Structures are given as structure tokens and as C-alpha cells.
Amino acid sequence: MSTIDVRYLELTAGGRRYGVPVAQVVEVGEPGPVLPAPTHEPSLRGVSEARGKLVPVLHLAAFLAGTACPAERGSAVVVVRSTEADGGRLLALEVDDVFAVVRGPVLLTTKLPSLPWATGLAQRDDGALPILDLSTLADRLRGIGVPA
């Protein structure tokens, strides 16, 4: 395992903190209208418009926990681009809150069984912060037929 210096956006989802690489963040905003979308993924809220495209809106905490979206919507949406390697598809993450951009060392991890959706861990004052692997999230969505 190695460590690299990364800028990430710190956010909360389901009461837990996560980081998203800033290089993959397209925009941050308040939740807008969402249209229902046929899917077997219970954590998919639907689709919404972002940057002139319809993008899947994923309730991040429900997705990571393997549960359905709660009735109450999150207070923020972070639109991210998965990676250039997979076409840079857009995905909207519905989250509880967004805090700040942080720069710091991230310990890169191989796929840990307890964190299969994380690419690394950032050390924060109150513990480790998982950095989301957006390609893994997008791959999982495509695997169930969601156009991410």
C-alpha cells in the first residue's frame, strides 16, 4: 500500500463521513426535481437533469448499505464523473451534507472486503475517512441495468 496527496470533498451520507476526489466532482447543489426510473436498484431515487443530460440520482447512504431510499431526500446533491477510462459518465449522489475541500495524504488500499467501494483512507483528527471509488459505484450500477 502507498500514500498519495489528494484533494477530496468531504461529505456525509447516512450519518457517516466520506470523501470524493475533487477531480471527479462536476458540481454541488441542492436537490432538484427527480423523475422515477424503472430499475431493480432500491437506492436509486430516479433521474434528474445535470449539464444537459439525464443522470441517475443515487441515495448514497442507501446504496452503500444495500437498502431502499428513505422517503426524506438528502439536503445536497454532488454530481460526479466516474472516470475518463469508462467514458466519464455522470452520476448524482444524494447526500446529507457537504463540508469542505480537504487536501491531505490518502492511504491507497486494495479492495478491502469491508470497504469494496473505497479507493483509500484519509486520516482525519477523529479517525479514518473512506475515499469513494466512483468507478466501482458506476460499475455496480451498470451491472444492474442503471445507465451510469
Side-chain angles (χ1 to χ4, degrees), residues 2-3 7 23-24 42 45 52-53 58 60 70 73 84-85 94 97 100-103 117 125 134 138 142-143:
S2 62
T3 301
R7 289 179 62 217
Q24 293 175 265
R45 176 85 57 201
K53 298 179 180 182
L58 186 69
L60 183 60
R73 299 213 29 215
E84 294 304 322
E94 184 179 318
D97 209 351
V101 172
V102 178
R103 181 180 198 105
W117 36 261
D125 291 340
L134 300 177
R142 276 193 304 282

Side-chain angles (χ1 to χ4, degrees), residues 11-144:
L11 54 87
T12 58
R16 295 192 62 197
R17 293 181 346 175
Y18 301 96
V20 174
V22 168
Q24 293 175 265
V25 174
V26 175
E27 62 186 56
V28 176
E30 294 180 359
V34 176
L35 302 170
T39 180
H40 294 291
E41 175 54 52
S43 61
L44 186 75
R45 176 85 57 201
V47 294
S48 186
E49 189 275 330
R51 303 280 170 139
K53 298 179 180 182
L54 284 179
V55 298
V57 178
L58 186 69
H59 188 277
L60 183 60
F63 186 72
L64 296 176
T67 62
C69 289
E72 186 175 319
R73 299 213 29 215
S75 65
V77 172
V78 179
V79 178
V80 296
R81 186 175 312 279
S82 52
T83 65
E84 294 304 322
D86 66 1
R89 294 180 172 93
L90 296 179
L91 174 63
L93 303 174
E94 184 179 318
V95 299
D96 300 337
D97 209 351
V98 176
F99 296 102
V101 172
V102 178
R103 181 180 198 105
V106 171
L107 175 66
L108 298 177
T109 62
T110 54
K111 297 298 177 203
L112 300 172
S114 61
L115 300 170
W117 36 261
T119 190
L121 297 169
Q123 184 60 44
R124 302 292 286 150
D125 291 340
D126 56 351
L129 178 82
I131 305 299
L132 298 178
D133 182 344
L134 300 177
S135 291
T136 298
L137 296 181
D139 287 347
R140 188 167 141 201
L141 284 174
R142 276 193 304 282
I144 58 170

